[in-house]
Amino acid sequence: MQRAIPLAVLALCSGFAAQGVLAQAQQGQAGGAEAAAEAFMQKLDADGSGGISLEEATAPQMEQFKQNDADGDGFITPDEASAAFAEQVPPEMMEAMKERGMPNPGKTFVENLDQDGDGKVSLEEFEQPTKESFAAMDTNDDGIADAEEASAYFEQMQAQMQERMQQMQQQMQQQQQAPAQ
């Protein structure tokens, strides 16, 4: 089953330079993919080889996981994920989410990543989106994502985000235009 991963998950486990792409996509700007690919390469190419290995791509995940696993038991619970999200998001945004009836971000985070259904997220589950993204990025399957592959991946990501944002805007317009019942 494919799961939709909300922005809360991106905020909690962004291993790639997705934020640059998302910001550019939200503003409808060109060049976001190229900038994100460059940032991705600069941030994660630890050995300076000009390419990113899966190990380099997942390395930031361990530190992020440790930060989110507040009790150090090797799992992130909905409460831990909610606390981590609240630390990264302005309080007024959290309040607006509650007012709009949006689901608890910690619960959503766990629901999206918890593959074995135990109600918590292991490191393996936490790294899975990055591993999947890396596999999609490494189009020649050589185990290294180079700048060209990264740029193409982030272009695709930017296009998908723009499409989703347009769909959301259309839905909001339809809801606003619908007569109150």
Side-chain angles (χ1 to χ4, degrees):
M1 171 175 79
Q2 187 176 12
R3 298 176 183 174
I5 299 179
L7 290 178
V9 175
L10 289 175
L12 286 171
C13 62
S14 60
F16 293 158
Q19 293 173 340
V21 172
L22 296 176
Q24 297 276 342
Q26 288 172 340
Q27 297 169 6
Q29 296 176 358
E34 201 170 295
E38 185 177 323
F40 169 77
M41 298 302 289
Q42 288 178 353
K43 180 178 179 181
L44 298 179
D45 186 12
D47 64 6
S49 67
I52 307 298
S53 67
L54 179 59
E55 291 75 25
E56 288 173 315
T58 58
Q61 298 292 313
M62 178 61 82
E63 187 59 36
Q64 187 69 45
F65 184 84
K66 287 179 184 177
Q67 289 174 0
N68 293 344
D69 179 18
D71 63 9
D73 68 351
F75 297 95
I76 299 173
T77 64
D79 289 340
E80 289 171 326
S82 290
F85 188 73
E87 288 177 14
Q88 297 176 27
V89 174
E92 57 273 8
M93 184 176 185
M94 292 296 293
E95 188 60 35
M97 289 172 64
K98 286 180 189 177
E99 289 173 5
R100 292 186 177 130
M102 295 176 75
N104 175 304
K107 183 179 176 192
T108 301
F109 171 82
V110 170
E111 287 173 355
N112 280 307
L113 295 180
D114 180 19
Q115 296 173 352
D116 63 11
D118 65 358
K120 52 193 174 186
V121 176
S122 67
L123 177 60
E124 184 177 324
E125 291 168 327
F126 188 79
E127 290 178 331
Q128 192 60 36
T130 298
K131 289 178 179 180
E132 290 172 4
S133 294
F134 182 84
M137 186 182 297
D138 181 20
T139 55
N140 66 1
D141 293 325
D142 67 353
I144 301 293
D146 62 27
E148 186 178 315
E149 290 171 314
S151 185
Y153 175 81
F154 286 118
E155 277 182 32
Q156 180 183 16
M157 189 178 187
Q158 183 178 19
Q160 289 174 351
M161 180 57 69
Q162 287 174 334
E163 183 179 326
R164 287 184 187 137
M165 292 187 70
Q166 288 172 346
Q167 290 171 349
M168 288 172 44
Q169 289 172 344
Q170 290 172 351
Q171 288 174 344
M172 288 174 60
Q173 289 172 348
Q174 290 171 352
Q175 289 173 351
Q176 291 172 349
Q177 293 173 356
Q181 295 182 15

